[in-house]
Amino acid sequence: QKEVEQNSGPLSVPEGAIASLNCTYSDRGSQSFFWYRQYSGKSPELIMFIYSNGDKEDGRFTAQLNKASQYVSLLIRDSQPSDSATYLCAVRGGSYIPTFGRGTSLIVHP
Amino acid sequence: KAGVTQTPRYLIKTRGQQVTLSCSPISGHRSVSWYQQTPGQGLQFLFEYFSETQRNKGNFPGRFSGRQFSNSRSEMNVSTLELGDSALYLCASSSKDRSPGEQYFGPGTRLTVT
């Protein structure tokens, strides 16, 4: 059973702080990793994807991948109240079928 | 460019009935995936189509089926509805084959089974 684990939260951070969201996965054959943001009552929105070990940056978002330790993280710098949402981690392996975590609820308070 | 569209947005059905949901992908996207999202199970993969061919299927019973047309529009069908089928059904499209992670979701169809 391939699993993707996320802390459900909520993770509460003050405006302007760095929010750190983590995700661990069980399948060592996983090849690609994705972060989605889902606002309440809305559909998921792709934020970032990463394939290789290391960091990938896009604006205020940085995805970090460590395949040896089987975790992927998302850092949000200068967090804004508009970042308050549920963040879903998804992992895809050789079967091309994505497995999603349950998501971490992030609250950014002014 | 228009996003992924899904119809209908809301649906109420009775146990034992069947339902068909429709999805139109982003123009130029040939891959369409379907997902079921519930509070209890989270987001679960149903199936993926690319160029009218089913590429992958998730762990759902045979009551769940789908198809894709030559214009990339896709439909999914659920027969003999059960109460547990109540969920948000999401469609996502991608320009790439077998890359359902790099995808863009539609607004979803909220199905309620009574």
Side-chain angles (χ1 to χ4, degrees), chain A residues 43-90:
Chain A
S43 57
E45 171 191 10
L46 179 66
I47 300 175
M48 293 189 70
F49 54 88
I50 185 168
Y51 298 137
S52 308
N53 267 342
D55 295 1
K56 179 180 179 182
E57 188 173 316
D58 184 0
R60 295 186 297 112
F61 299 95
T62 299
Q64 298 175 320
L65 174 61
N66 185 319
K67 285 190 174 182
S69 300
Q70 294 179 241
Y71 81 80
V72 58
S73 61
L74 178 70
L75 300 179
I76 306 175
R77 290 182 299 281
D78 188 25
S79 295
Q80 301 296 309
S82 59
D83 294 326
S84 299
T86 296
Y87 289 80
L88 302 171
C89 170

mmCIF file of all heavy atoms in Angstrom, chain A residues 43-90:
data_model
loop_
_atom_site.group_PDB
_atom_site.id
_atom_site.type_symbol
_atom_site.label_atom_id
_atom_site.label_comp_id
_atom_site.label_asym_id
_atom_site.label_seq_id
_atom_site.Cartn_x
_atom_site.Cartn_y
_atom_site.Cartn_z
ATOM 1 N N SER A 43 -11.440 23.594 -6.013
ATOM 2 C CA SER A 43 -10.670 22.438 -6.460
ATOM 3 C C SER A 43 -9.178 22.683 -6.259
ATOM 4 O O SER A 43 -8.747 23.831 -6.111
ATOM 5 C CB SER A 43 -10.981 22.153 -7.930
ATOM 6 O OG SER A 43 -10.707 23.290 -8.716
ATOM 7 N N PRO A 44 -8.380 21.623 -6.234
ATOM 8 C CA PRO A 44 -6.937 21.784 -6.044
ATOM 9 C C PRO A 44 -6.299 22.558 -7.193
ATOM 10 O O PRO A 44 -6.717 22.455 -8.347
ATOM 11 C CB PRO A 44 -6.425 20.338 -6.012
ATOM 12 C CG PRO A 44 -7.611 19.517 -5.654
ATOM 13 C CD PRO A 44 -8.780 20.210 -6.271
ATOM 14 N N GLU A 45 -5.267 23.299 -6.845
ATOM 15 C CA GLU A 45 -4.542 24.121 -7.809
ATOM 16 C C GLU A 45 -3.065 23.747 -7.709
ATOM 17 O O GLU A 45 -2.484 23.767 -6.620
ATOM 18 C CB GLU A 45 -4.749 25.592 -7.474
ATOM 19 C CG GLU A 45 -3.894 26.561 -8.247
ATOM 20 C CD GLU A 45 -3.984 27.961 -7.659
ATOM 21 O OE1 GLU A 45 -4.548 28.133 -6.565
ATOM 22 O OE2 GLU A 45 -3.455 28.887 -8.281
ATOM 23 N N LEU A 46 -2.456 23.381 -8.813
ATOM 24 C CA LEU A 46 -1.053 22.989 -8.817
ATOM 25 C C LEU A 46 -0.167 24.186 -8.481
ATOM 26 O O LEU A 46 -0.257 25.233 -9.114
ATOM 27 C CB LEU A 46 -0.674 22.425 -10.183
ATOM 28 C CG LEU A 46 0.772 21.985 -10.377
ATOM 29 C CD1 LEU A 46 1.087 20.787 -9.478
ATOM 30 C CD2 LEU A 46 1.040 21.633 -11.835
ATOM 31 N N ILE A 47 0.700 24.019 -7.468
ATOM 32 C CA ILE A 47 1.639 25.073 -7.104
ATOM 33 C C ILE A 47 3.015 24.774 -7.693
ATOM 34 O O ILE A 47 3.616 25.615 -8.344
ATOM 35 C CB ILE A 47 1.781 25.186 -5.574
ATOM 36 C CG1 ILE A 47 0.452 25.497 -4.908
ATOM 37 C CG2 ILE A 47 2.804 26.260 -5.212
ATOM 38 C CD1 ILE A 47 0.553 25.491 -3.396
ATOM 39 N N MET A 48 3.509 23.578 -7.405
ATOM 40 C CA MET A 48 4.860 23.231 -7.830
ATOM 41 C C MET A 48 4.992 21.737 -8.020
ATOM 42 O O MET A 48 4.234 20.967 -7.429
ATOM 43 C CB MET A 48 5.891 23.653 -6.776
ATOM 44 C CG MET A 48 6.054 25.125 -6.567
ATOM 45 S SD MET A 48 7.454 25.461 -5.498
ATOM 46 C CE MET A 48 8.811 25.010 -6.584
ATOM 47 N N PHE A 49 5.970 21.347 -8.825
ATOM 48 C CA PHE A 49 6.334 19.945 -8.920
ATOM 49 C C PHE A 49 7.849 19.855 -8.943
ATOM 50 O O PHE A 49 8.536 20.792 -9.357
ATOM 51 C CB PHE A 49 5.713 19.284 -10.150
ATOM 52 C CG PHE A 49 6.011 19.979 -11.445
ATOM 53 C CD1 PHE A 49 7.150 19.665 -12.178
ATOM 54 C CD2 PHE A 49 5.147 20.944 -11.938
ATOM 55 C CE1 PHE A 49 7.419 20.297 -13.371
ATOM 56 C CE2 PHE A 49 5.410 21.578 -13.141
ATOM 57 C CZ PHE A 49 6.545 21.260 -13.864
ATOM 58 N N ILE A 50 8.353 18.737 -8.482
ATOM 59 C CA ILE A 50 9.790 18.550 -8.406
ATOM 60 C C ILE A 50 10.103 17.099 -8.700
ATOM 61 O O ILE A 50 9.374 16.188 -8.276
ATOM 62 C CB ILE A 50 10.327 18.986 -7.010
ATOM 63 C CG1 ILE A 50 11.850 18.905 -6.946
ATOM 64 C CG2 ILE A 50 9.688 18.181 -5.888
ATOM 65 C CD1 ILE A 50 12.431 19.584 -5.704
ATOM 66 N N TYR A 51 11.170 16.867 -9.456
ATOM 67 C CA TYR A 51 11.541 15.516 -9.857
ATOM 68 C C TYR A 51 12.870 15.074 -9.259
ATOM 69 O O TYR A 51 13.102 13.899 -9.038
ATOM 70 C CB TYR A 51 11.649 15.411 -11.383
ATOM 71 C CG TYR A 51 10.365 15.677 -12.118
ATOM 72 C CD1 TYR A 51 10.367 16.472 -13.268
ATOM 73 C CD2 TYR A 51 9.159 15.144 -11.698
ATOM 74 C CE1 TYR A 51 9.198 16.716 -13.956
ATOM 75 C CE2 TYR A 51 7.994 15.383 -12.379
ATOM 76 C CZ TYR A 51 8.020 16.164 -13.513
ATOM 77 O OH TYR A 51 6.855 16.409 -14.195
ATOM 78 N N SER A 52 13.762 16.043 -9.014
ATOM 79 C CA SER A 52 15.116 15.683 -8.602
ATOM 80 C C SER A 52 15.380 16.104 -7.171
ATOM 81 O O SER A 52 14.771 17.044 -6.661
ATOM 82 C CB SER A 52 16.142 16.364 -9.514
ATOM 83 O OG SER A 52 15.858 16.117 -10.857
ATOM 84 N N ASN A 53 16.331 15.440 -6.562
ATOM 85 C CA ASN A 53 16.747 15.827 -5.214
ATOM 86 C C ASN A 53 17.176 17.286 -5.180
ATOM 87 O O ASN A 53 17.718 17.807 -6.158
ATOM 88 C CB ASN A 53 17.919 14.954 -4.758
ATOM 89 C CG ASN A 53 17.437 13.743 -3.988
ATOM 90 O OD1 ASN A 53 16.316 13.681 -3.511
ATOM 91 N ND2 ASN A 53 18.297 12.746 -3.880
ATOM 92 N N GLY A 54 16.956 17.919 -4.058
ATOM 93 C CA GLY A 54 17.389 19.291 -3.916
ATOM 94 C C GLY A 54 16.203 20.231 -3.790
ATOM 95 O O GLY A 54 15.125 19.840 -3.384
ATOM 96 N N ASP A 55 16.431 21.472 -4.136
ATOM 97 C CA ASP A 55 15.429 22.521 -3.991
ATOM 98 C C ASP A 55 14.986 23.027 -5.350
ATOM 99 O O ASP A 55 15.760 23.070 -6.304
ATOM 100 C CB ASP A 55 15.998 23.702 -3.200
ATOM 101 C CG ASP A 55 16.340 23.338 -1.766
ATOM 102 O OD1 ASP A 55 16.152 22.164 -1.393
ATOM 103 O OD2 ASP A 55 16.803 24.218 -1.036
ATOM 104 N N LYS A 56 13.731 23.449 -5.385
ATOM 105 C CA LYS A 56 13.211 24.124 -6.569
ATOM 106 C C LYS A 56 12.425 25.329 -6.076
ATOM 107 O O LYS A 56 11.554 25.191 -5.224
ATOM 108 C CB LYS A 56 12.316 23.192 -7.378
ATOM 109 C CG LYS A 56 11.727 23.848 -8.627
ATOM 110 C CD LYS A 56 10.849 22.883 -9.387
ATOM 111 C CE LYS A 56 10.244 23.558 -10.605
ATOM 112 N NZ LYS A 56 9.329 22.647 -11.340
ATOM 113 N N GLU A 57 12.752 26.489 -6.608
ATOM 114 C CA GLU A 57 12.135 27.714 -6.137
ATOM 115 C C GLU A 57 11.257 28.331 -7.208
ATOM 116 O O GLU A 57 11.593 28.329 -8.399
ATOM 117 C CB GLU A 57 13.236 28.708 -5.725
ATOM 118 C CG GLU A 57 12.734 29.962 -5.046
ATOM 119 C CD GLU A 57 13.885 30.815 -4.521
ATOM 120 O OE1 GLU A 57 14.815 30.258 -3.937
ATOM 121 O OE2 GLU A 57 13.835 32.040 -4.729
ATOM 122 N N ASP A 58 10.126 28.887 -6.773
ATOM 123 C CA ASP A 58 9.235 29.594 -7.683
ATOM 124 C C ASP A 58 8.564 30.693 -6.882
ATOM 125 O O ASP A 58 7.630 30.434 -6.120
ATOM 126 C CB ASP A 58 8.194 28.636 -8.279
ATOM 127 C CG ASP A 58 7.307 29.323 -9.305
ATOM 128 O OD1 ASP A 58 7.480 30.537 -9.560
ATOM 129 O OD2 ASP A 58 6.413 28.649 -9.862
ATOM 130 N N GLY A 59 9.094 31.897 -7.025
ATOM 131 C CA GLY A 59 8.546 33.004 -6.270
ATOM 132 C C GLY A 59 8.729 32.799 -4.777
ATOM 133 O O GLY A 59 9.828 32.547 -4.308
ATOM 134 N N ARG A 60 7.641 32.871 -4.033
ATOM 135 C CA ARG A 60 7.728 32.695 -2.581
ATOM 136 C C ARG A 60 7.743 31.227 -2.168
ATOM 137 O O ARG A 60 7.855 30.916 -0.979
ATOM 138 C CB ARG A 60 6.531 33.395 -1.914
ATOM 139 C CG ARG A 60 6.511 34.913 -2.087
ATOM 140 C CD ARG A 60 5.392 35.564 -1.282
ATOM 141 N NE ARG A 60 4.065 35.136 -1.703
ATOM 142 C CZ ARG A 60 3.238 34.387 -0.971
ATOM 143 N NH1 ARG A 60 3.597 33.984 0.246
ATOM 144 N NH2 ARG A 60 2.035 34.066 -1.425
ATOM 145 N N PHE A 61 7.614 30.336 -3.119
ATOM 146 C CA PHE A 61 7.514 28.906 -2.815
ATOM 147 C C PHE A 61 8.820 28.185 -3.143
ATOM 148 O O PHE A 61 9.442 28.437 -4.171
ATOM 149 C CB PHE A 61 6.381 28.262 -3.631
ATOM 150 C CG PHE A 61 5.023 28.845 -3.344
ATOM 151 C CD1 PHE A 61 4.512 29.847 -4.135
ATOM 152 C CD2 PHE A 61 4.271 28.369 -2.284
ATOM 153 C CE1 PHE A 61 3.262 30.385 -3.866
ATOM 154 C CE2 PHE A 61 3.016 28.894 -2.009
ATOM 155 C CZ PHE A 61 2.507 29.910 -2.813
ATOM 156 N N THR A 62 9.212 27.296 -2.237
ATOM 157 C CA THR A 62 10.362 26.422 -2.471
ATOM 158 C C THR A 62 9.973 25.003 -2.128
ATOM 159 O O THR A 62 9.476 24.739 -1.023
ATOM 160 C CB THR A 62 11.573 26.837 -1.604
ATOM 161 O OG1 THR A 62 11.965 28.161 -1.936
ATOM 162 C CG2 THR A 62 12.747 25.892 -1.838
ATOM 163 N N ALA A 63 10.158 24.107 -3.070
ATOM 164 C CA ALA A 63 9.940 22.680 -2.814
ATOM 165 C C ALA A 63 11.298 22.032 -2.574
ATOM 166 O O ALA A 63 12.270 22.333 -3.266
ATOM 167 C CB ALA A 63 9.235 22.022 -3.987
ATOM 168 N N GLN A 64 11.365 21.172 -1.578
ATOM 169 C CA GLN A 64 12.601 20.476 -1.255
ATOM 170 C C GLN A 64 12.333 18.977 -1.283
ATOM 171 O O GLN A 64 11.348 18.511 -0.707
ATOM 172 C CB GLN A 64 13.090 20.888 0.139
ATOM 173 C CG GLN A 64 13.416 22.368 0.269
ATOM 174 C CD GLN A 64 13.783 22.755 1.690
ATOM 175 O OE1 GLN A 64 13.179 22.281 2.642
ATOM 176 N NE2 GLN A 64 14.774 23.633 1.833
ATOM 177 N N LEU A 65 13.214 18.252 -1.934
ATOM 178 C CA LEU A 65 13.050 16.807 -2.066
ATOM 179 C C LEU A 65 14.269 16.086 -1.536
ATOM 180 O O LEU A 65 15.402 16.432 -1.879
ATOM 181 C CB LEU A 65 12.831 16.434 -3.529
ATOM 182 C CG LEU A 65 12.771 14.949 -3.874
ATOM 183 C CD1 LEU A 65 11.622 14.251 -3.144
ATOM 184 C CD2 LEU A 65 12.662 14.749 -5.379
ATOM 185 N N ASN A 66 14.045 15.090 -0.711
ATOM 186 C CA ASN A 66 15.107 14.232 -0.210
ATOM 187 C C ASN A 66 14.659 12.785 -0.420
ATOM 188 O O ASN A 66 13.903 12.237 0.387
ATOM 189 C CB ASN A 66 15.369 14.515 1.267
ATOM 190 C CG ASN A 66 16.561 13.737 1.808
ATOM 191 O OD1 ASN A 66 16.750 12.566 1.482
ATOM 192 N ND2 ASN A 66 17.362 14.376 2.647
ATOM 193 N N LYS A 67 15.122 12.190 -1.490
ATOM 194 C CA LYS A 67 14.672 10.833 -1.833
ATOM 195 C C LYS A 67 15.213 9.797 -0.853
ATOM 196 O O LYS A 67 14.539 8.808 -0.564
ATOM 197 C CB LYS A 67 15.082 10.481 -3.255
ATOM 198 C CG LYS A 67 14.246 11.172 -4.321
ATOM 199 C CD LYS A 67 14.548 10.604 -5.697
ATOM 200 C CE LYS A 67 13.617 11.184 -6.739
ATOM 201 N NZ LYS A 67 13.864 10.608 -8.085
ATOM 202 N N ALA A 68 16.407 10.003 -0.343
ATOM 203 C CA ALA A 68 16.984 9.037 0.591
ATOM 204 C C ALA A 68 16.130 8.940 1.862
ATOM 205 O O ALA A 68 15.913 7.854 2.399
ATOM 206 C CB ALA A 68 18.416 9.431 0.944
ATOM 207 N N SER A 69 15.631 10.059 2.316
ATOM 208 C CA SER A 69 14.810 10.088 3.517
ATOM 209 C C SER A 69 13.320 10.019 3.196
ATOM 210 O O SER A 69 12.488 9.984 4.099
ATOM 211 C CB SER A 69 15.100 11.361 4.321
ATOM 212 O OG SER A 69 16.464 11.393 4.707
ATOM 213 N N GLN A 70 12.994 10.026 1.930
ATOM 214 C CA GLN A 70 11.623 9.901 1.456
ATOM 215 C C GLN A 70 10.708 10.981 2.014
ATOM 216 O O GLN A 70 9.633 10.695 2.565
ATOM 217 C CB GLN A 70 11.078 8.498 1.764
ATOM 218 C CG GLN A 70 11.816 7.418 0.990
ATOM 219 C CD GLN A 70 11.301 6.027 1.306
ATOM 220 O OE1 GLN A 70 12.034 5.172 1.801
ATOM 221 N NE2 GLN A 70 10.057 5.784 1.000
ATOM 222 N N TYR A 71 11.167 12.219 1.866
ATOM 223 C CA TYR A 71 10.269 13.296 2.233
ATOM 224 C C TYR A 71 10.403 14.439 1.248
ATOM 225 O O TYR A 71 11.424 14.622 0.586
ATOM 226 C CB TYR A 71 10.512 13.774 3.671
ATOM 227 C CG TYR A 71 11.673 14.729 3.854
ATOM 228 C CD1 TYR A 71 11.547 16.088 3.554
ATOM 229 C CD2 TYR A 71 12.887 14.273 4.356
ATOM 230 C CE1 TYR A 71 12.603 16.954 3.726
ATOM 231 C CE2 TYR A 71 13.954 15.128 4.527
ATOM 232 C CZ TYR A 71 13.814 16.465 4.223
ATOM 233 O OH TYR A 71 14.867 17.315 4.395
ATOM 234 N N VAL A 72 9.324 15.166 1.151
ATOM 235 C CA VAL A 72 9.293 16.363 0.321
ATOM 236 C C VAL A 72 8.628 17.455 1.143
ATOM 237 O O VAL A 72 7.704 17.186 1.912
ATOM 238 C CB VAL A 72 8.554 16.099 -1.011
ATOM 239 C CG1 VAL A 72 7.146 15.616 -0.791
ATOM 240 C CG2 VAL A 72 8.573 17.322 -1.901
ATOM 241 N N SER A 73 9.137 18.653 1.027
ATOM 242 C CA SER A 73 8.583 19.742 1.814
ATOM 243 C C SER A 73 8.300 20.944 0.928
ATOM 244 O O SER A 73 8.816 21.063 -0.186
ATOM 245 C CB SER A 73 9.533 20.125 2.952
ATOM 246 O OG SER A 73 10.769 20.571 2.426
ATOM 247 N N LEU A 74 7.458 21.806 1.438
ATOM 248 C CA LEU A 74 7.115 23.052 0.760
ATOM 249 C C LEU A 74 7.308 24.185 1.745
ATOM 250 O O LEU A 74 6.739 24.151 2.844
ATOM 251 C CB LEU A 74 5.664 23.032 0.260
ATOM 252 C CG LEU A 74 5.180 24.303 -0.436
ATOM 253 C CD1 LEU A 74 5.869 24.445 -1.803
ATOM 254 C CD2 LEU A 74 3.663 24.291 -0.611
ATOM 255 N N LEU A 75 8.129 25.148 1.352
ATOM 256 C CA LEU A 75 8.327 26.340 2.179
ATOM 257 C C LEU A 75 7.628 27.506 1.508
ATOM 258 O O LEU A 75 7.766 27.705 0.297
ATOM 259 C CB LEU A 75 9.817 26.658 2.320
ATOM 260 C CG LEU A 75 10.705 25.585 2.955
ATOM 261 C CD1 LEU A 75 12.151 26.057 2.984
ATOM 262 C CD2 LEU A 75 10.222 25.252 4.352
ATOM 263 N N ILE A 76 6.892 28.252 2.297
ATOM 264 C CA ILE A 76 6.235 29.453 1.796
ATOM 265 C C ILE A 76 6.829 30.632 2.562
ATOM 266 O O ILE A 76 6.640 30.759 3.773
ATOM 267 C CB ILE A 76 4.709 29.399 1.998
ATOM 268 C CG1 ILE A 76 4.127 28.119 1.379
ATOM 269 C CG2 ILE A 76 4.049 30.631 1.380
ATOM 270 C CD1 ILE A 76 2.632 27.937 1.649
ATOM 271 N N ARG A 77 7.565 31.462 1.845
ATOM 272 C CA ARG A 77 8.173 32.636 2.485
ATOM 273 C C ARG A 77 7.199 33.795 2.485
ATOM 274 O O ARG A 77 6.321 33.878 1.617
ATOM 275 C CB ARG A 77 9.445 33.028 1.739
ATOM 276 C CG ARG A 77 10.591 32.045 1.904
ATOM 277 C CD ARG A 77 11.834 32.555 1.145
ATOM 278 N NE ARG A 77 11.565 32.688 -0.286
ATOM 279 C CZ ARG A 77 11.555 31.665 -1.128
ATOM 280 N NH1 ARG A 77 11.796 30.451 -0.693
ATOM 281 N NH2 ARG A 77 11.307 31.867 -2.401
ATOM 282 N N ASP A 78 7.393 34.700 3.449
ATOM 283 C CA ASP A 78 6.548 35.899 3.535
ATOM 284 C C ASP A 78 5.071 35.503 3.420
ATOM 285 O O ASP A 78 4.324 35.993 2.558
ATOM 286 C CB ASP A 78 6.920 36.886 2.423
ATOM 287 C CG ASP A 78 6.218 38.229 2.567
ATOM 288 O OD1 ASP A 78 5.842 38.589 3.699
ATOM 289 O OD2 ASP A 78 6.022 38.901 1.533
ATOM 290 N N SER A 79 4.645 34.609 4.281
ATOM 291 C CA SER A 79 3.276 34.081 4.222
ATOM 292 C C SER A 79 2.246 35.196 4.321
ATOM 293 O O SER A 79 2.400 36.150 5.093
ATOM 294 C CB SER A 79 3.050 33.085 5.376
ATOM 295 O OG SER A 79 3.876 31.960 5.228
ATOM 296 N N GLN A 80 1.201 35.051 3.537
ATOM 297 C CA GLN A 80 0.118 36.019 3.500
ATOM 298 C C GLN A 80 -1.189 35.342 3.923
ATOM 299 O O GLN A 80 -1.349 34.143 3.735
ATOM 300 C CB GLN A 80 -0.027 36.585 2.098
ATOM 301 C CG GLN A 80 1.216 37.269 1.569
ATOM 302 C CD GLN A 80 1.571 38.488 2.390
ATOM 303 O OE1 GLN A 80 0.731 39.352 2.639
ATOM 304 N NE2 GLN A 80 2.828 38.566 2.835
ATOM 305 N N PRO A 81 -2.133 36.123 4.451
ATOM 306 C CA PRO A 81 -3.429 35.521 4.797
ATOM 307 C C PRO A 81 -4.075 34.786 3.621
ATOM 308 O O PRO A 81 -4.778 33.799 3.819
ATOM 309 C CB PRO A 81 -4.262 36.729 5.232
ATOM 310 C CG PRO A 81 -3.259 37.684 5.798
ATOM 311 C CD PRO A 81 -2.038 37.524 4.910
ATOM 312 N N SER A 82 -3.799 35.245 2.406
ATOM 313 C CA SER A 82 -4.356 34.587 1.218
ATOM 314 C C SER A 82 -3.740 33.209 0.980
ATOM 315 O O SER A 82 -4.243 32.442 0.152
ATOM 316 C CB SER A 82 -4.147 35.454 -0.023
ATOM 317 O OG SER A 82 -2.770 35.698 -0.229
ATOM 318 N N ASP A 83 -2.672 32.881 1.692
ATOM 319 C CA ASP A 83 -2.074 31.548 1.588
ATOM 320 C C ASP A 83 -2.822 30.535 2.453
ATOM 321 O O ASP A 83 -2.536 29.334 2.387
ATOM 322 C CB ASP A 83 -0.607 31.570 2.019
ATOM 323 C CG ASP A 83 0.277 32.391 1.090
ATOM 324 O OD1 ASP A 83 0.006 32.405 -0.128
ATOM 325 O OD2 ASP A 83 1.220 33.029 1.592
ATOM 326 N N SER A 84 -3.725 31.002 3.267
ATOM 327 C CA SER A 84 -4.494 30.105 4.136
ATOM 328 C C SER A 84 -5.329 29.163 3.282
ATOM 329 O O SER A 84 -6.211 29.599 2.530
ATOM 330 C CB SER A 84 -5.401 30.916 5.071
ATOM 331 O OG SER A 84 -4.637 31.753 5.910
ATOM 332 N N ALA A 85 -5.041 27.893 3.393
ATOM 333 C CA ALA A 85 -5.674 26.877 2.548
ATOM 334 C C ALA A 85 -5.193 25.516 3.034
ATOM 335 O O ALA A 85 -4.388 25.415 3.958
ATOM 336 C CB ALA A 85 -5.291 27.080 1.083
ATOM 337 N N THR A 86 -5.672 24.478 2.379
ATOM 338 C CA THR A 86 -5.144 23.131 2.605
ATOM 339 C C THR A 86 -4.151 22.813 1.501
ATOM 340 O O THR A 86 -4.433 23.037 0.323
ATOM 341 C CB THR A 86 -6.282 22.096 2.615
ATOM 342 O OG1 THR A 86 -7.148 22.361 3.715
ATOM 343 C CG2 THR A 86 -5.717 20.679 2.765
ATOM 344 N N TYR A 87 -2.998 22.303 1.884
ATOM 345 C CA TYR A 87 -1.941 21.986 0.932
ATOM 346 C C TYR A 87 -1.827 20.475 0.805
ATOM 347 O O TYR A 87 -1.596 19.768 1.786
ATOM 348 C CB TYR A 87 -0.625 22.623 1.370
ATOM 349 C CG TYR A 87 -0.675 24.122 1.195
ATOM 350 C CD1 TYR A 87 -1.315 24.922 2.143
ATOM 351 C CD2 TYR A 87 -0.148 24.737 0.070
ATOM 352 C CE1 TYR A 87 -1.416 26.292 1.971
ATOM 353 C CE2 TYR A 87 -0.229 26.107 -0.109
ATOM 354 C CZ TYR A 87 -0.878 26.880 0.844
ATOM 355 O OH TYR A 87 -0.983 28.236 0.660
ATOM 356 N N LEU A 88 -1.999 20.006 -0.421
ATOM 357 C CA LEU A 88 -1.971 18.580 -0.708
ATOM 358 C C LEU A 88 -0.653 18.207 -1.362
ATOM 359 O O LEU A 88 -0.205 18.856 -2.304
ATOM 360 C CB LEU A 88 -3.109 18.209 -1.667
ATOM 361 C CG LEU A 88 -4.536 18.529 -1.217
ATOM 362 C CD1 LEU A 88 -5.513 18.304 -2.364
ATOM 363 C CD2 LEU A 88 -4.918 17.656 -0.035
ATOM 364 N N CYS A 89 -0.067 17.149 -0.859
ATOM 365 C CA CYS A 89 1.142 16.588 -1.454
ATOM 366 C C CYS A 89 0.718 15.384 -2.293
ATOM 367 O O CYS A 89 -0.132 14.586 -1.871
ATOM 368 C CB CYS A 89 2.078 16.163 -0.328
ATOM 369 S SG CYS A 89 3.509 15.188 -0.810
ATOM 370 N N ALA A 90 1.266 15.258 -3.482
ATOM 371 C CA ALA A 90 0.969 14.111 -4.336
ATOM 372 C C ALA A 90 2.272 13.510 -4.836
ATOM 373 O O ALA A 90 3.229 14.233 -5.138
ATOM 374 C CB ALA A 90 0.096 14.530 -5.519
#
